[in-house]
Amino acid sequence: MFIGKSKAMLMFFMVLMLAVAMVFAAGCDDADEPVEDVEEVDEVNEVEEVDEDEEEAAPVEPEYEWRFGAYFSTDHHLTQGALKFAEEMDRLTDGRVLVDVYPDMQLGTGEEMLEGVQLGSIDLCEATLTAVTEWDDTFFFLNLPFLFHEPEVAYAFLDGPMGRDLLGEVGDTNIRVIAFWENGFRNITSNIGPIVEPEDIVGQDIRLMPNPVHMDGFSQVNANPTPMAFGELFTALQQGVIDGQENPLANIYDMSFHEVQDYLTVSGHYYDVTGFYITESLYQSLPGDIQDAVDEAAIAATKYHRGLAREADERLLDYYLESDHFVEVNVLTPEQKARWQEAMAGTYDNFRDQIGADFLEEVLEEVESLHQQFYDGELDTSDLY
Ligand code: EAX
């Protein structure tokens, strides 16, 4: 309005000028058109300015506020993945979805968090796939010993058609797997003595996740696999209730198991997939654009988390080799690994029927082909993490 008035005055002035001297006529004509233009632009600007003012006055309130339960401390690659997901959701939805991440099992143990996701009292969480195998044993094949030797192969498999087929609701549980993250390659710690050959573990009480496939693998090498909840593990090791346990390096570090264990064997016997879960009914109730944002943010967070997981595995191996946390650290050579693989092979036979012989065959072919491609330098790893 103010500018409009100025323009009107300017026009009046220009008309006067025209009357006085024709030399200004061209300038006057030129000035006419922009006035209209300026007014038009001005009207648009006024509308936009009002909008901007309103935005400033009333910032967008999140339409959704979700709770994300995470196992480990903020530094752990899984919690970092959760935080990345939160950041991506904020970005992709312009703040319509706020994801609050609760680290350090603040929302409960893995089992409790999953129950929360099932009931909808927790919206999202991450936990080893083992935690859902009691509802649905489809994932058993992923728990087989020495299935994967390279993280890239695991990623390529999980991102490929066979892996993507496994995403979605776990049975009828109201728990949806939206992405495959990782605990990663599991390694053995013990207080009894160095473990290098399969014979070295005979008779040791080793805590395992309550996963029948994992337990079977340790029975094959004549250890005494003892199922126990993760939350009880530190105290059980400290009090000598059990001799050892097995977990990825990042978990051993995060839980300070090195304080109560003397020997570390970097064996990588199981590649442990972590499910990233959302309440199925929540996911299904979302408008399409928010659902798309969940899917997109999950992919971005997966890649981010995998990169950090790779980095953590390398960094922590160096750290444990250099520090004096463990009396001895043994990194198995490929030959030693092959002997463990051989010793645990019976687990494949024991679960072949339950997994489905044909399906297992298909999986093993695919995994072998991916390893081959990886070792030949032909596996495209550029988009995996
Ligand atoms: O998912 O129980 C375990 O040893 C797992 O590695 C842990 O729960 C993280």
Short mmCIF file of all heavy atoms in Angstrom, two decimals, residues 97-136:
data_model
loop_
_atom_site.label_atom_id
_atom_site.label_comp_id
_atom_site.label_asym_id
_atom_site.label_seq_id
_atom_site.Cartn_x
_atom_site.Cartn_y
_atom_site.Cartn_z
N VAL A 97 7.51 -34.73 11.54
CA VAL A 97 7.73 -35.92 12.38
C VAL A 97 8.95 -35.69 13.27
O VAL A 97 10.04 -35.43 12.78
CB VAL A 97 7.96 -37.18 11.52
CG1 VAL A 97 8.19 -38.40 12.41
CG2 VAL A 97 6.79 -37.42 10.57
N LEU A 98 8.73 -35.77 14.55
CA LEU A 98 9.81 -35.64 15.52
C LEU A 98 10.09 -37.03 16.09
O LEU A 98 9.19 -37.69 16.60
CB LEU A 98 9.38 -34.68 16.65
CG LEU A 98 10.36 -34.50 17.80
CD1 LEU A 98 11.65 -33.83 17.34
CD2 LEU A 98 9.71 -33.67 18.92
N VAL A 99 11.35 -37.47 15.95
CA VAL A 99 11.73 -38.78 16.49
C VAL A 99 12.67 -38.55 17.68
O VAL A 99 13.73 -37.95 17.52
CB VAL A 99 12.42 -39.65 15.42
CG1 VAL A 99 12.82 -41.01 16.00
CG2 VAL A 99 11.51 -39.84 14.20
N ASP A 100 12.26 -39.02 18.84
CA ASP A 100 13.10 -38.91 20.04
C ASP A 100 13.80 -40.24 20.27
O ASP A 100 13.13 -41.27 20.40
CB ASP A 100 12.25 -38.60 21.28
CG ASP A 100 11.48 -37.30 21.13
OD1 ASP A 100 12.09 -36.30 20.73
OD2 ASP A 100 10.26 -37.29 21.42
N VAL A 101 15.13 -40.18 20.29
CA VAL A 101 15.90 -41.43 20.47
C VAL A 101 16.28 -41.59 21.94
O VAL A 101 16.82 -40.68 22.55
CB VAL A 101 17.17 -41.40 19.59
CG1 VAL A 101 18.02 -42.63 19.83
CG2 VAL A 101 16.79 -41.27 18.11
N TYR A 102 15.97 -42.76 22.49
CA TYR A 102 16.32 -43.08 23.89
C TYR A 102 17.41 -44.16 23.88
O TYR A 102 17.13 -45.32 23.62
CB TYR A 102 15.09 -43.62 24.63
CG TYR A 102 13.99 -42.61 24.80
CD1 TYR A 102 13.09 -42.36 23.77
CD2 TYR A 102 13.86 -41.89 25.98
CE1 TYR A 102 12.08 -41.42 23.92
CE2 TYR A 102 12.84 -40.95 26.14
CZ TYR A 102 11.96 -40.71 25.10
OH TYR A 102 10.97 -39.79 25.25
N PRO A 103 18.66 -43.78 24.18
CA PRO A 103 19.75 -44.77 24.17
C PRO A 103 19.80 -45.59 25.47
O PRO A 103 18.94 -45.44 26.34
CB PRO A 103 21.00 -43.90 24.02
CG PRO A 103 20.64 -42.60 24.65
CD PRO A 103 19.15 -42.42 24.50
N ASP A 104 20.80 -46.44 25.56
CA ASP A 104 21.14 -47.16 26.81
C ASP A 104 19.99 -47.98 27.39
O ASP A 104 19.84 -48.06 28.60
CB ASP A 104 21.63 -46.17 27.88
CG ASP A 104 23.03 -45.67 27.58
OD1 ASP A 104 23.88 -46.49 27.22
OD2 ASP A 104 23.25 -44.45 27.69
N MET A 105 19.18 -48.58 26.55
CA MET A 105 18.06 -49.40 27.01
C MET A 105 17.15 -48.66 28.00
O MET A 105 16.57 -49.27 28.89
CB MET A 105 18.57 -50.71 27.63
CG MET A 105 19.17 -51.67 26.61
SD MET A 105 19.54 -53.31 27.30
CE MET A 105 21.28 -53.17 27.63
N GLN A 106 17.05 -47.35 27.83
CA GLN A 106 16.18 -46.56 28.72
C GLN A 106 14.72 -46.99 28.60
O GLN A 106 13.94 -46.86 29.54
CB GLN A 106 16.26 -45.07 28.37
CG GLN A 106 17.49 -44.37 28.88
CD GLN A 106 17.50 -42.90 28.42
OE1 GLN A 106 16.52 -42.18 28.55
NE2 GLN A 106 18.62 -42.49 27.87
N LEU A 107 14.35 -47.48 27.42
CA LEU A 107 12.96 -47.92 27.23
C LEU A 107 12.80 -49.41 27.50
O LEU A 107 11.74 -49.98 27.25
CB LEU A 107 12.47 -47.57 25.82
CG LEU A 107 12.47 -46.09 25.44
CD1 LEU A 107 11.82 -45.87 24.07
CD2 LEU A 107 11.76 -45.22 26.49
N GLY A 108 13.87 -50.04 27.99
CA GLY A 108 13.76 -51.46 28.35
C GLY A 108 14.80 -52.31 27.65
O GLY A 108 15.56 -51.84 26.80
N THR A 109 14.83 -53.58 28.01
CA THR A 109 15.71 -54.54 27.35
C THR A 109 15.19 -54.76 25.94
O THR A 109 14.11 -54.29 25.58
CB THR A 109 15.68 -55.88 28.09
OG1 THR A 109 14.34 -56.38 28.01
CG2 THR A 109 16.10 -55.75 29.54
N GLY A 110 15.94 -55.51 25.15
CA GLY A 110 15.52 -55.78 23.77
C GLY A 110 14.11 -56.35 23.72
O GLY A 110 13.27 -55.90 22.93
N GLU A 111 13.84 -57.33 24.57
CA GLU A 111 12.52 -57.99 24.59
C GLU A 111 11.45 -56.97 24.95
O GLU A 111 10.38 -56.92 24.35
CB GLU A 111 12.51 -59.15 25.60
CG GLU A 111 13.38 -60.34 25.23
CD GLU A 111 14.87 -60.11 25.48
OE1 GLU A 111 15.22 -59.11 26.14
OE2 GLU A 111 15.68 -60.91 24.96
N GLU A 112 11.73 -56.14 25.96
CA GLU A 112 10.74 -55.14 26.41
C GLU A 112 10.50 -54.09 25.33
O GLU A 112 9.35 -53.68 25.10
CB GLU A 112 11.22 -54.48 27.71
CG GLU A 112 11.10 -55.41 28.91
CD GLU A 112 11.93 -54.95 30.12
OE1 GLU A 112 12.70 -53.98 30.01
OE2 GLU A 112 11.79 -55.58 31.17
N MET A 113 11.56 -53.69 24.66
CA MET A 113 11.39 -52.68 23.60
C MET A 113 10.53 -53.25 22.48
O MET A 113 9.64 -52.58 21.96
CB MET A 113 12.74 -52.24 23.05
CG MET A 113 13.50 -51.32 23.98
SD MET A 113 14.87 -50.47 23.17
CE MET A 113 16.15 -51.71 23.15
N LEU A 114 10.78 -54.52 22.14
CA LEU A 114 9.99 -55.13 21.07
C LEU A 114 8.53 -55.28 21.46
O LEU A 114 7.63 -55.07 20.64
CB LEU A 114 10.58 -56.48 20.68
CG LEU A 114 11.67 -56.35 19.63
CD1 LEU A 114 12.50 -57.61 19.55
CD2 LEU A 114 11.08 -56.03 18.24
N GLU A 115 8.29 -55.62 22.73
CA GLU A 115 6.89 -55.68 23.19
C GLU A 115 6.25 -54.30 23.08
O GLU A 115 5.09 -54.17 22.70
CB GLU A 115 6.83 -56.14 24.65
CG GLU A 115 6.82 -57.64 24.79
CD GLU A 115 7.04 -58.09 26.24
OE1 GLU A 115 6.67 -57.34 27.17
OE2 GLU A 115 7.62 -59.18 26.41
N GLY A 116 7.02 -53.26 23.41
CA GLY A 116 6.53 -51.89 23.30
C GLY A 116 6.16 -51.55 21.87
O GLY A 116 5.12 -50.94 21.61
N VAL A 117 7.00 -51.96 20.93
CA VAL A 117 6.72 -51.69 19.52
C VAL A 117 5.46 -52.46 19.10
O VAL A 117 4.60 -51.94 18.37
CB VAL A 117 7.93 -52.07 18.63
CG1 VAL A 117 7.58 -52.05 17.16
CG2 VAL A 117 9.10 -51.12 18.90
N GLN A 118 5.34 -53.66 19.60
CA GLN A 118 4.18 -54.49 19.28
C GLN A 118 2.89 -53.82 19.78
O GLN A 118 1.89 -53.77 19.06
CB GLN A 118 4.37 -55.83 19.97
CG GLN A 118 3.34 -56.86 19.61
CD GLN A 118 3.76 -58.24 20.07
OE1 GLN A 118 4.42 -58.38 21.09
NE2 GLN A 118 3.37 -59.24 19.32
N LEU A 119 2.94 -53.27 20.99
CA LEU A 119 1.75 -52.64 21.58
C LEU A 119 1.57 -51.20 21.12
O LEU A 119 0.51 -50.61 21.32
CB LEU A 119 1.87 -52.65 23.11
CG LEU A 119 1.94 -54.02 23.77
CD1 LEU A 119 2.31 -53.90 25.24
CD2 LEU A 119 0.61 -54.75 23.61
N GLY A 120 2.62 -50.61 20.55
CA GLY A 120 2.54 -49.22 20.10
C GLY A 120 2.92 -48.22 21.19
O GLY A 120 2.81 -47.02 20.99
N SER A 121 3.39 -48.69 22.35
CA SER A 121 3.82 -47.75 23.39
C SER A 121 5.23 -47.21 23.06
O SER A 121 5.65 -46.19 23.57
CB SER A 121 3.81 -48.41 24.77
OG SER A 121 4.63 -49.56 24.76
N ILE A 122 5.96 -47.95 22.23
CA ILE A 122 7.22 -47.48 21.65
C ILE A 122 7.00 -47.57 20.14
O ILE A 122 6.38 -48.53 19.66
CB ILE A 122 8.40 -48.38 22.07
CG1 ILE A 122 8.59 -48.31 23.59
CG2 ILE A 122 9.67 -47.98 21.35
CD1 ILE A 122 9.63 -49.30 24.12
N ASP A 123 7.45 -46.57 19.40
CA ASP A 123 7.14 -46.57 17.96
C ASP A 123 8.19 -47.29 17.13
O ASP A 123 7.88 -47.93 16.13
CB ASP A 123 6.98 -45.12 17.49
CG ASP A 123 5.97 -44.38 18.34
OD1 ASP A 123 4.78 -44.69 18.20
OD2 ASP A 123 6.37 -43.56 19.19
N LEU A 124 9.45 -47.14 17.57
CA LEU A 124 10.56 -47.71 16.80
C LEU A 124 11.60 -48.28 17.75
O LEU A 124 11.76 -47.77 18.86
CB LEU A 124 11.25 -46.61 15.98
CG LEU A 124 10.39 -45.76 15.05
CD1 LEU A 124 10.81 -44.30 15.12
CD2 LEU A 124 10.51 -46.27 13.62
N CYS A 125 12.31 -49.30 17.32
CA CYS A 125 13.47 -49.76 18.10
C CYS A 125 14.40 -50.56 17.20
O CYS A 125 14.05 -50.88 16.06
CB CYS A 125 13.05 -50.58 19.31
SG CYS A 125 12.65 -52.31 19.00
N GLU A 126 15.59 -50.83 17.72
CA GLU A 126 16.50 -51.75 17.03
C GLU A 126 16.84 -52.86 17.99
O GLU A 126 16.97 -52.63 19.19
CB GLU A 126 17.75 -51.03 16.51
CG GLU A 126 18.48 -50.14 17.49
CD GLU A 126 19.47 -50.83 18.42
OE1 GLU A 126 19.69 -52.03 18.26
OE2 GLU A 126 19.98 -50.14 19.31
N ALA A 127 16.92 -54.07 17.49
CA ALA A 127 17.32 -55.22 18.31
C ALA A 127 17.69 -56.36 17.37
O ALA A 127 17.14 -56.48 16.27
CB ALA A 127 16.18 -55.67 19.23
N THR A 128 18.63 -57.20 17.83
CA THR A 128 19.06 -58.34 17.02
C THR A 128 17.85 -59.12 16.50
O THR A 128 16.84 -59.25 17.20
CB THR A 128 19.97 -59.28 17.84
OG1 THR A 128 20.13 -60.49 17.12
CG2 THR A 128 19.37 -59.60 19.20
N LEU A 129 17.97 -59.64 15.29
CA LEU A 129 16.87 -60.43 14.72
C LEU A 129 16.54 -61.64 15.58
O LEU A 129 15.42 -62.15 15.54
CB LEU A 129 17.24 -60.91 13.31
CG LEU A 129 16.98 -59.99 12.14
CD1 LEU A 129 17.33 -60.70 10.85
CD2 LEU A 129 15.54 -59.50 12.09
N THR A 130 17.54 -62.09 16.36
CA THR A 130 17.29 -63.21 17.28
C THR A 130 16.07 -62.94 18.14
O THR A 130 15.30 -63.84 18.45
CB THR A 130 18.53 -63.43 18.17
OG1 THR A 130 19.53 -64.04 17.37
CG2 THR A 130 18.22 -64.33 19.35
N ALA A 131 15.89 -61.67 18.51
CA ALA A 131 14.78 -61.32 19.40
C ALA A 131 13.42 -61.59 18.77
O ALA A 131 12.43 -61.73 19.49
CB ALA A 131 14.91 -59.85 19.79
N VAL A 132 13.34 -61.67 17.46
CA VAL A 132 12.02 -61.93 16.85
C VAL A 132 11.88 -63.36 16.32
O VAL A 132 10.80 -63.74 15.87
CB VAL A 132 11.68 -60.92 15.71
CG1 VAL A 132 11.60 -59.51 16.25
CG2 VAL A 132 12.66 -61.00 14.57
N THR A 133 12.96 -64.15 16.42
CA THR A 133 12.87 -65.51 15.87
C THR A 133 11.91 -66.38 16.68
O THR A 133 11.44 -67.39 16.19
CB THR A 133 14.25 -66.20 15.77
OG1 THR A 133 14.94 -66.00 17.00
CG2 THR A 133 15.06 -65.66 14.62
N GLU A 134 11.63 -66.00 17.93
CA GLU A 134 10.68 -66.82 18.69
C GLU A 134 9.26 -66.69 18.11
O GLU A 134 8.42 -67.55 18.31
CB GLU A 134 10.70 -66.46 20.18
CG GLU A 134 10.23 -65.06 20.49
CD GLU A 134 10.24 -64.80 22.01
OE1 GLU A 134 9.23 -65.07 22.65
OE2 GLU A 134 11.27 -64.32 22.52
N TRP A 135 8.99 -65.59 17.40
CA TRP A 135 7.69 -65.44 16.74
C TRP A 135 7.70 -66.01 15.32
O TRP A 135 6.70 -66.46 14.81
CB TRP A 135 7.31 -63.96 16.63
CG TRP A 135 6.90 -63.32 17.91
CD1 TRP A 135 5.89 -63.71 18.74
CD2 TRP A 135 7.48 -62.15 18.51
NE1 TRP A 135 5.81 -62.86 19.81
CE2 TRP A 135 6.77 -61.88 19.70
CE3 TRP A 135 8.53 -61.29 18.16
CZ2 TRP A 135 7.07 -60.81 20.54
CZ3 TRP A 135 8.81 -60.24 18.99
CH2 TRP A 135 8.09 -60.00 20.16
N ASP A 136 8.88 -65.84 14.70
CA ASP A 136 8.96 -66.18 13.29
C ASP A 136 10.38 -66.68 13.01
O ASP A 136 11.34 -65.91 13.10
CB ASP A 136 8.67 -64.91 12.47
CG ASP A 136 8.58 -65.19 10.99
OD1 ASP A 136 8.96 -66.29 10.57
OD2 ASP A 136 8.17 -64.28 10.24
#
